[in-house]
């Protein structure tokens, strides 16, 4: 079970989330080297429309992007860290959302943590936050075809595959099909 920090409004102060083994925290300048480890891994970026960062400046731009999206109330992205360590090992959150309607969820995790239960625990907390604190009805995940690990995680979380978005993503001079997954608030109530 996760707990949310007390706040009058979700965007008054960045909401930290604590779970039994993790803390989801605001990504700041102190995490630049952690982001370089996460996003600098070519395996992690294989199914991601983001070129691996070349240096700390690239990661600082990512920190600024996450902060800007939160401040504009357009998105929220947490750093994932274990309760016994200050280093973040991944990120998770909503790339965009519309209150009372829908959100797009995503995550990134250091590849040495892929076979652990870290992302499942983090996703349960973020999904609960989305349905309750952000008042979202539908959470979507768009996954590049071939990303079997991500697809399995979504199935395990109860997401339903709805179809294929043909040539939906254009990145690096190439079109990619994306699989659309969704989870409705009512799915958890059934």
């Amino acid at each position: 079970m996760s707990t949310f920090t007390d706040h009058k409004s979700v965007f008054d102060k960045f909401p930290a989330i604590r779970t039994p083994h993790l803390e989801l925290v605001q990504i700041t300048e102190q995490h630049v080297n952690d982001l370089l480890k996460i996003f600098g891994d070519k395996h992690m970026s294989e199914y991601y429309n983001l070129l691996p960062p070349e240096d700390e400046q690239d990661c600082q731009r990512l920190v600024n992007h996450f902060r800007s999206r939160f401040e504009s109330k357009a998105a929220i992205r947490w750093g994932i860290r274990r309760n016994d360590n200050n280093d973040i090992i991944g990120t998770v959150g909503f790339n965009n959302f519309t209150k009372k309607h829908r959100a797009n969820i995503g995550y990134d995790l250091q590849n040495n943590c892929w076979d652990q239960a870290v992302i499942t625990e983090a996703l349960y907390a973020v999904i609960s936050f989305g349905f309750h604190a952000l008042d979202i009805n539908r959470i979507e995940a768009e996954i590049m075809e071939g990303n079997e690990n991500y697809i399995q995680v979504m199935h395990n979380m109860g997401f339903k595959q709805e179809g294929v978005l043909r040539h939906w993503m254009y990145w690096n001079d190439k079109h990619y099909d994306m699989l659309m997954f969704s989870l409705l608030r009512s799915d958890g109530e059934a």
Side-chain angles (χ1 to χ4, degrees), residues 5-154:
T5 55
D6 292 331
H7 54 279
K8 293 176 186 151
S9 169
V10 172
F11 292 95
D12 286 347
K13 179 181 175 191
F14 194 92
I17 301 175
R18 222 169 165 49
T19 69
H21 305 100
L22 304 171
E23 189 171 5
L24 307 182
V25 299
Q26 184 172 18
I27 300 168
T28 66
E29 288 74 16
Q30 76 181 31
H31 301 117
V32 165
N33 286 325
D34 299 334
L35 293 174
L36 196 53
K37 285 183 211 170
I38 296 164
F39 292 101
D41 180 350
K42 291 186 189 314
H43 288 84
M44 206 295 297
S45 62
E46 181 179 3
Y47 296 104
Y48 205 80
N49 62 338
L50 179 71
L51 292 173
E54 293 185 15
D55 54 28
E56 291 179 2
Q57 287 180 337
D58 285 347
C59 290
Q60 181 59 52
R61 283 190 281 280
L62 195 54
V63 169
N64 295 343
H65 173 73
F66 291 146
R67 180 182 297 122
S68 168
R69 298 282 291 157
F70 176 76
E71 289 172 354
S72 68
K73 301 177 174 129
I76 185 167
R77 192 74 168 205
W78 289 269
I80 303 169
R81 71 178 184 204
R82 290 189 167 91
N83 286 338
D84 61 356
N85 194 315
N86 285 329
D87 297 338
I88 62 171
I89 58 172
T91 75
V92 64
F94 298 111
N95 300 321
N96 57 59
F97 72 92
T98 305
K99 188 176 180 176
K100 296 196 180 292
H101 186 39
R102 63 188 171 115
N104 181 281
I105 198 165
Y107 71 86
D108 321 289
L109 199 59
Q110 283 181 5
N111 100 11
N112 62 346
C113 301
W114 284 358
D115 292 333
Q116 301 171 27
V118 170
I119 201 58
T120 301
E121 188 170 327
L123 281 170
Y124 274 122
V126 169
I127 289 167
S128 180
F129 185 91
F131 285 146
H132 299 100
L134 295 177
D135 198 21
I136 293 167
N137 183 58
R138 172 188 166 92
I139 298 175
E140 300 172 342
E142 296 145 359
I143 305 169
M144 191 181 294
E145 277 192 328
N147 191 345
E148 297 304 322
N149 288 337
Y150 204 131
I151 291 167
Q152 188 60 51
V153 167
M154 290 297 104

